[in-house]
Amino acid sequence: MGRVLDFVDVDIQPLDALAPRERILKTASDLFYRFSINSVGIDRIIAESGVAKMTFYKHFPSKADLIATYLRYKSAVWFQMLSTSTERAGLSPLERVLAVFDALEQPLLAPSFRGCPFAKGMAEFGPEANSPDVEAAIAAYFTRLHDFVASLIEPLSLSKPERVVMQILSLFQGSLVIAQSTRDLAIIEANRDAARVLLENGIASSS
Amino acid sequence: MGRVLDFVDVDIQPLDALAPRERILKTASDLFYRFSINSVGIDRIIAESGVAKMTFYKHFPSKADLIATYLRYKSAVWFQMLSTSTERAGLSPLERVLAVFDALEQPLLAPSFRGCPFAKGMAEFGPEANSPDVEAAIAAYFTRLHDFVASLIEPLSLSKPERVVMQILSLFQGSLVIAQSTRDLAIIEANRDAARVLLENGIASSS
DNA sequence: GCAAATACATACAGGTCTGTCTATAGCCCT
DNA sequence: AGGGCTATAGACAGACCTGTATGTATTTGC
């Protein structure tokens, strides 16, 4: 049942066949990501998900609650994609690291691509926003992403793995920002190659 | 008179000694960047800049107008910093490219650091926001940044300069995202070194 | 010193936001 | 068949938003 975790907007199952809670979450996810979180009101989410207001507030006690759930949902989607790419059969340890950039292809190709949902979340819900749940969801994503890349790099036995992890993470997040402003898919290949050079450089200097 | 272009929050001149327009712009700049654009209302900007509402609307016909001006102002600030770093005396062409990462030190050290103002702007004012002036200001920044890095790289006569420009830009923007979530200054050094490796690799393969 | 431009203070209109309340309709389970 | 759970529909309160209108004070130029 990985259907819910698809990145692509198109769904096999029509929206109104889903349970109300999933309908709300999916509608909110689309709207929050396409527009921004603060510019999408509860009323619109309710209208477009075809749900009554009380039903909404039964499933999500507050908008902040929905936002945090949306971010955890998006996190699951992204790690699903990352896993799919990095766990392909026949990849060498080094290629598995580079595969995180392959995972960007599908999102970047989607016309609904609007950058990294978590960077966008940070932009709207910084430290002064007083939304601890939202902040926590964002921080959890970045921590998990860091650990994910670190675990991919670990088998390479680099001399300064933490440094390379930060470099890969920067290339990854940077791809998402730059791609958003230029819409040039070449960024993926360029940064995968950059990562390869950095990794091989780290391996060489660690020998 | 580069005072207005200082990144640091502290100002030598007190705020209420400035002309109303500058007071408004400076207050708005602080608030928009610390919080987010959509979550700061006109009333707050007016209150904190000690200005009457009509005065505000005389200088800025609409909030969108103020936002676009804010972004152009921030752009000037950032390029001021980039110029300062890259035009230091005694830098080799390669070191001048790497100096763009030095420019990040000052912003990252500031407690008010909240990431890249333009990525934040994109997060709130995407294509569906219908704010052409704001969009244009953001696009102008990224175009100018691209051209800036390209002009720094040009003297190195790399075989694929455009590719390396994208890599450097990704490392630069990635630094801002990652630094925002980890607050680790080591990111700068790591990515400057990454850039060095990529540049030297490009020089080697172009020979 | 006086006139004109500029800025201040504040009330207001019309809209949107989140969240609550009331009342009604459908559905499952026994 | 009927009780209880769940969803729908829509009005409503109170706060906030942008932008306008109406006066009064202050500064500036000559």
Side-chain angles (χ1 to χ4, degrees):
Chain A
M1 234 307 244
R3 189 196 44 73
V4 152
L5 295 183
D6 285 347
F7 182 88
V8 207
D9 305 17
V10 201
D11 239 333
I12 291 86
Q13 210 164 354
L15 203 62
D16 41 328
L18 274 63
R21 190 175 198 279
E22 285 199 1
R23 246 186 312 168
I24 297 167
L25 183 53
K26 212 159 182 353
T27 305
S29 188
D30 284 353
L31 293 175
F32 283 162
Y33 184 60
R34 269 205 299 146
F35 304 89
S36 71
I37 296 174
N38 280 329
S39 65
V40 174
I42 294 290
D43 285 348
R44 181 164 184 190
I45 294 168
I46 285 167
E48 295 201 14
S49 59
V51 143
K53 206 160 201 177
M54 281 313 288
T55 306
F56 172 86
Y57 277 102
K58 173 164 286 182
H59 288 293
F60 302 96
S62 70
K63 189 188 180 183
D65 207 276
L66 173 66
I67 297 168
T69 306
Y70 149 70
L71 288 166
R72 286 190 292 264
Y73 165 77
K74 273 283 184 187
S75 179
V77 174
W78 281 72
F79 279 106
Q80 181 91 350
M81 292 190 302
L82 285 170
S83 297
T84 303
S85 292
T86 57
E87 289 169 8
R88 276 210 329 272
L91 294 184
S92 72
L94 190 144
E95 286 168 334
R96 288 187 59 195
V97 183
L98 301 182
V100 301
F101 293 95
D102 299 340
L104 292 177
E105 268 175 37
Q106 200 182 351
L108 289 211
L109 280 171
S112 65
F113 174 70
R114 293 294 183 284
C116 171
F118 313 97
K120 286 180 60 149
M122 259 198 308
E124 294 192 273
F125 293 87
E128 13 263 300
N130 258 40
S131 304
D133 292 2
V134 177
E135 262 187 278
I138 295 169
Y141 169 80
F142 281 108
T143 302
R144 189 174 165 194
L145 184 66
H146 176 282
D147 295 350
F148 182 81
V149 173
S151 75
L152 289 176
I153 282 189
E154 197 269 326
L156 302 180
S157 306
L158 305 186
S159 60
K160 296 175 183 172
E162 180 55 29
R163 188 188 193 77
V164 180
V165 169
M166 288 198 293
Q167 294 170 337
I168 303 285
L169 286 174
S170 295
L171 285 171
F172 185 82
Q173 289 295 328
S175 303
L176 291 166
V177 177
I178 301 300
Q180 199 180 355
S181 70
T182 70
R183 306 305 286 232
D184 188 355
L185 279 205
I187 189 87
I188 296 180
E189 199 195 333
N191 282 339
R192 182 173 39 212
D193 282 8
R196 186 195 306 275
V197 170
L198 294 173
L199 288 169
E200 288 172 348
N201 183 75
I203 292 171
S205 68
S206 78
S207 68
Chain B
M1 232 304 247
R3 189 195 45 70
V4 152
L5 297 182
D6 285 347
F7 182 88
V8 208
D9 305 17
V10 201
D11 241 333
I12 290 86
Q13 209 164 355
L15 204 62
D16 41 328
L18 275 64
R21 190 174 198 281
E22 286 198 1
R23 247 185 313 169
I24 296 168
L25 183 53
K26 211 155 184 354
T27 305
S29 188
D30 284 353
L31 293 175
F32 284 161
Y33 184 60
R34 270 206 298 146
F35 305 89
S36 70
I37 296 174
N38 281 329
S39 65
V40 174
I42 294 289
D43 284 349
R44 182 165 182 190
I45 294 168
I46 285 166
E48 294 201 16
S49 59
V51 143
K53 207 159 200 175
M54 282 312 289
T55 306
F56 172 87
Y57 278 102
K58 171 165 287 182
H59 289 292
F60 302 95
S62 70
K63 190 188 180 183
D65 207 276
L66 173 66
I67 296 168
T69 307
Y70 149 70
L71 287 166
R72 287 191 291 265
Y73 166 75
K74 273 285 184 186
S75 179
V77 174
W78 280 73
F79 279 105
Q80 181 91 349
M81 293 190 302
L82 284 169
S83 296
T84 303
S85 292
T86 57
E87 289 169 7
R88 277 210 328 272
L91 294 184
S92 73
L94 190 144
E95 286 169 334
R96 289 187 58 195
V97 182
L98 301 181
V100 300
F101 293 94
D102 299 341
L104 292 176
E105 268 175 36
Q106 201 182 350
L108 289 210
L109 279 171
S112 66
F113 174 70
R114 294 293 183 285
C116 171
F118 312 97
K120 287 180 59 150
M122 258 197 310
E124 293 192 273
F125 294 87
E128 15 263 301
N130 259 40
S131 305
D133 292 2
V134 176
E135 263 186 277
I138 295 169
Y141 169 80
F142 281 107
T143 302
R144 189 174 166 194
L145 184 66
H146 176 282
D147 295 350
F148 182 82
V149 172
S151 75
L152 289 177
I153 282 189
E154 197 269 326
L156 301 180
S157 305
L158 305 187
S159 60
K160 297 175 182 170
E162 181 55 29
R163 187 188 193 77
V164 180
V165 168
M166 287 199 294
Q167 293 170 338
I168 303 285
L169 285 175
S170 296
L171 285 171
F172 185 82
Q173 289 295 327
S175 302
L176 291 166
V177 177
I178 302 299
Q180 198 180 354
S181 71
T182 70
R183 306 306 284 231
D184 188 355
L185 279 205
I187 189 87
I188 296 179
E189 199 195 332
N191 282 339
R192 182 172 40 212
D193 282 8
R196 185 194 306 275
V197 170
L198 294 173
L199 289 170
E200 289 171 347
N201 183 75
I203 292 172
S205 69
S206 77
S207 68

